[in-house]
Amino acid sequence: MAKEFSYYAALSPQGEPFTKTFKGFNDKEGLEFVLRKLKKVENAFYSKPAIVLESTGHYSQRIVHFFCNRGFKVFLVNPLISHSIKSSLIRKVKTDKVDAEELARLYFIKTLKEVQLNNDYFLNLKVLSRTAVLLAEQRVNMINQFTAAVEQVMPTYPKIFSNIASETSLAILAKYSSPYSLKQAPKQEIIDIICSNSRRGLK
């Protein structure tokens, strides 16, 4: 499974290749094409096929979601497990098509855990929470880098504001980027900038 497409191999209940390995794109049209292929497998064996996928982070998550919502049993395989099994097999050719077939065979030779989807709201909240944590960490790193850069030019400036990245501080630095320009600035100009950007009272 890749970002744009995936390779699919369909095996019979005896573990033998049923169709040629085929490529399906991970967009709406591509997945509808895959569903039509799977319908042929279902009609041939009178049973809805199980889907075995190798976990590839967020790329695989939406594919898992797609098949689970359409009533398929989906099994997500840790890449460490599938790689260890594939590396133990002696073969001359290594291609995505061969890998897809060997991944499908894991269904017959290893006990796999079926994916149980959580509520959509929970899944969305999980993604948003991870993103919020990541953005918070990035913000802290940027403020630390920004503070270090300002200290190179104005060593005492960070002592003036409790938050050097506040709107008021940034407004002053945007207009007066050196100690000299800040020192030469009219006092009332500085007061006006602080009054128009600070949420605190005039006192």
Side-chain angles (χ1 to χ4, degrees), residues 3 23 40 55 60-61 115 118 148 155 159 174:
K3 180 180 179 181
K23 179 179 179 180
K40 292 180 180 178
S55 178
S60 58
Q61 284 302 315
V115 174
N118 290 304
K159 297 178 182 179

Side-chain angles (χ1 to χ4, degrees), residues 150-192:
V150 172
E151 284 177 338
Q152 295 295 313
V153 183
M154 304 186 201
T156 59
Y157 186 85
K159 297 178 182 179
I160 300 173
F161 293 93
S162 59
N163 179 12
I164 193 176
S166 67
E167 287 187 24
T168 308
S169 172
L170 293 176
I172 291 175
L173 287 174
K175 189 158 188 177
Y176 311 109
S177 57
S178 70
Y180 179 78
S181 63
L182 187 57
K183 186 177 180 181
Q184 296 299 313
K187 187 176 182 179
Q188 190 57 45
E189 269 191 22
I190 304 293
I191 294 173
D192 290 342

Side-chain angles (χ1 to χ4, degrees), residues 20-85:
K20 288 185 178 180
T21 303
F22 61 93
K23 179 179 179 180
F25 286 92
N26 296 336
D27 56 13
K28 182 180 178 182
E29 291 76 15
L31 290 170
E32 291 294 339
F33 165 75
V34 174
L35 283 180
R36 290 194 294 272
K37 289 278 193 178
L38 293 177
K39 189 64 179 177
K40 292 180 180 178
V41 179
E42 182 177 349
N43 291 338
F45 301 109
Y46 305 100
S47 176
K48 212 175 186 69
I51 309 293
V52 181
L53 301 171
E54 191 171 66
S55 178
T56 53
H58 62 280
Y59 296 147
S60 58
Q61 284 302 315
R62 56 195 179 95
I63 306 300
V64 167
H65 201 269
F66 177 85
F67 286 120
C68 283
N69 282 343
R70 282 155 183 80
F72 289 91
K73 288 186 176 182
V74 179
F75 301 87
L76 201 59
V77 179
N78 187 314
L80 293 176
I81 296 175
S82 56
H83 289 175
S84 65
I85 293 175

Side-chain angles (χ1 to χ4, degrees), residues 1-15:
M1 182 175 294
K3 180 180 179 181
E4 302 292 339
F5 58 86
S6 304
Y7 279 100
Y8 296 84
L11 304 184
S12 71
Q14 291 73 40

Side-chain angles (χ1 to χ4, degrees), residues 90-117:
I90 300 174
R91 64 184 187 186
K92 296 180 180 179
V93 182
K94 185 185 188 313
T95 66
D96 290 332
K97 292 182 178 181
V98 174
D99 283 345
E101 207 170 281
E102 291 178 358
L103 191 64
R105 285 201 175 88
L106 290 182
Y107 182 78
F108 300 99
I109 64 175
K110 193 169 183 65
T111 302
L112 303 176
K113 187 176 180 181
E114 185 180 347
V115 174
Q116 299 295 330
L117 274 189

